Amino acid sequence: MRIAIPIHSFEPGGVERVALGLAAQWREAGHEVTVVLGRPGGAGLCSAPALDYWSLPTRLPTASWRTPWMVHTLYSFLIERRADVLFCPGNTYAVIGAGMKLLMGHHAPPMLLKISNALQRPDMSAPMRRGYGVWLRAQGGLFDSLVALSEPMRREVRECMLAEPRRVEVIANPILNRRRLIQLGRIERRTPSAWGTRYLAAGRLAPQKNFALMLRAFAAGARAEDRLTIAGEGPERGPLEALAGSLGIAGQVTFLGHVATIDPLLAEHDALLLSSDYEGLPGVVVEALAAGMPILATDCCVSMGSLLDHGRTGLMVPVRCQHGFAQGIAALRDLRGDPTRARAVAAHYELEGAARRYLDLMRAVVSRREAERRRDLALSTLAPCRSLRRSQ
């Protein structure tokens, strides 16, 4: 198959990392995979796999209007090269797929959309949520297949997007390849020191992740000997560093910025913290599970209960509940968890198995589209004959 994948750039992002990992697997399986780039540069360029990348040359600063430029770029590619299937790797690319449907009509290739983020958005105002709901329902009829990351998410997709059951599939988010799963599984979990717990958090420093709540809860629930390391970069770094200072915990909190991999940090720390307001299925939680690490997370996605195995692999507290998160930080010190069970949960999110399932789904979608095309062609051929018989 000829598979096209739109990606805005090589800037670090979980959606894009997963898409590139899948693309490498599909190419290795013998398929023609092209990553269509909005911008060819970015901080993740050096770690990008060897694939066929396609972009439009321009000297214009397209970052500030990246979505219209991505629509233009992908349309240009599909006119020039064509594709058997278009894989949209996350919610943010749904508008790109809509653009292709608008510009190309029935000539647009079959499209798959991976649902990468929560569909319930408590951060939005009521009018925005209503508008977002209309947009979600439009997506439900726009794409040939919608891929949920878990069974609870499948139910959410069907309820929020009103999608036909046959158009919704479940494929676990392919976060870890087999080799990395094995490597993380070899990390030996030691009993945390009685004199201090080393907490780890990772993610883009953006409002969705609500690191401000984490810092306030850490100030309330941590001991003087406890330490918090935050790996990630983003627009909120300056305000968050200032907040840590105002809370009197600047000496206990380390902001690392962007890191190429968090694997060494998973080995060096005792527990993972996640304070997001909403998520699709957070990859960092799966990575921590693979390392056998206990987790404290907010109830930020419909899949979190199954990820934490209802208390066996971690603790869950309500979203935006600072008091609950502070209590969780204290309780996490005494939670030994179940590393064996945690690693078994993480194994469901293996890259190689997911890549095969996606290929099976793509073949089915392409076959279904071809069958529909033949049916429509047959009906259009029969229509003049029926009209002639009526006139006689």
Side-chain angles (χ1 to χ4, degrees):
M1 288 182 292
R2 295 168 297 180
I3 305 168
I5 308 172
I7 286 181
H8 287 300
S9 73
F10 289 117
E11 294 297 334
V15 165
E16 289 73 21
R17 283 196 300 271
V18 168
L20 292 175
L22 285 169
Q25 289 290 316
W26 296 335
R27 181 174 181 177
E28 188 175 321
H31 299 276
E32 184 181 323
V33 183
T34 304
V35 178
V36 182
L37 286 168
R39 289 184 293 123
L45 177 60
C46 294
S47 58
L51 295 165
D52 181 14
Y53 296 99
W54 194 95
S55 61
L56 283 177
T58 180
R59 295 183 179 181
L60 297 174
T62 59
S64 58
W65 46 291
R66 66 177 193 168
T67 297
W69 180 253
M70 187 76 249
V71 169
H72 172 60
T73 301
L74 183 58
Y75 176 71
S76 301
F77 169 80
L78 292 175
I79 292 297
E80 178 181 318
R81 300 262 295 265
R82 299 290 178 173
D84 295 316
V85 64
L86 177 65
F87 175 64
C88 296
N91 299 52
T92 188
Y93 294 95
V95 67
I96 310 300
M100 296 308 100
K101 205 74 170 181
L102 181 65
L103 292 169
M104 302 182 71
H106 66 276
H107 295 293
M111 298 188 298
L112 279 69
L113 174 66
K114 179 165 77 74
I115 308 300
S116 61
N117 220 332
L119 302 182
Q120 303 286 352
R121 294 290 298 273
D123 59 308
M124 293 181 174
S125 63
M128 287 185 67
R129 282 198 299 271
R130 285 193 291 271
Y132 187 56
V134 172
W135 168 228
L136 289 176
R137 290 190 289 276
Q139 293 177 44
L142 179 68
F143 289 88
D144 296 86
S145 185
L146 301 163
V147 180
L149 307 181
S150 66
E151 280 295 338
M153 184 182 278
R154 186 212 289 262
R155 294 190 290 272
E156 185 182 41
V157 168
R158 290 181 58 183
E159 291 170 4
C160 295
M161 306 180 83
L162 301 183
E164 299 176 40
R166 71 187 182 97
R167 292 181 182 267
V168 185
E169 296 290 335
V170 176
I171 302 178
N173 206 18
I175 294 166
L176 300 165
N177 61 36
R178 193 168 298 145
R179 180 180 179 184
R180 193 168 171 222
L181 266 171
I182 293 171
Q183 289 174 338
L184 290 176
R186 291 172 178 160
I187 294 176
E188 184 180 351
R189 296 254 65 94
R190 297 182 297 273
T191 303
S193 169
W195 304 108
T197 302
R198 300 162 297 178
Y199 297 95
L200 174 66
R204 181 166 167 75
L205 307 186
Q208 172 187 350
K209 307 298 184 180
N210 207 345
F211 281 106
L213 177 140
M214 182 187 297
L215 291 175
R216 293 189 179 97
F218 185 80
R223 302 165 298 182
E225 301 82 6
D226 293 338
R227 297 292 180 267
L228 171 61
T229 301
I230 299 176
E233 194 55 83
E236 289 204 323
R237 177 164 182 171
L240 289 172
E241 289 178 330
L243 176 61
S246 68
L247 292 170
I249 56 173
Q252 294 176 261
V253 180
T254 301
F255 290 86
L256 288 183
H258 171 68
V259 296
T261 174
I262 68 165
D263 292 9
L265 300 175
L266 293 172
E268 296 164 2
H269 290 76
D270 302 312
L272 180 84
L273 305 181
L274 182 83
S275 54
S276 297
D277 289 342
Y278 61 93
E279 292 278 357
L281 194 147
V284 67
V285 169
V286 176
E287 292 169 325
L289 289 171
M293 177 181 282
I295 296 158
L296 169 66
T298 53
D299 186 12
C300 57
C301 69
V302 294
S303 307
M304 190 57 72
S306 56
L307 280 173
L308 300 184
D309 203 13
H310 309 287
R312 286 180 63 184
T313 59
L315 305 175
M316 186 168 66
V317 298
V319 169
R320 296 184 177 182
C321 180
Q322 180 180 318
H323 177 68
F325 207 89
Q327 288 185 319
I329 287 174
L332 201 60
R333 291 194 287 265
D334 299 320
L335 179 70
R336 297 284 76 83
D338 186 343
T340 301
R341 178 58 186 165
R343 288 171 170 136
V345 172
H348 291 295
Y349 301 90
E350 182 201 73
L351 172 62
E352 288 82 354
R356 290 192 298 272
R357 293 199 60 197
Y358 268 108
L359 288 174
D360 291 340
L361 176 58
M362 288 177 183
R363 293 187 189 99
V365 166
V366 170
S367 297
R368 188 167 66 212
R369 174 71 75 86
E370 181 60 24
E372 292 171 354
R373 187 192 67 80
R374 289 196 299 267
R375 182 198 63 197
D376 293 343
L377 181 61
L379 290 174
S380 66
T381 303
L382 290 173
C385 299
R386 290 172 180 167
S387 177
L388 179 60
R389 284 196 295 269
R390 283 196 298 268
S391 66
Q392 292 174 345

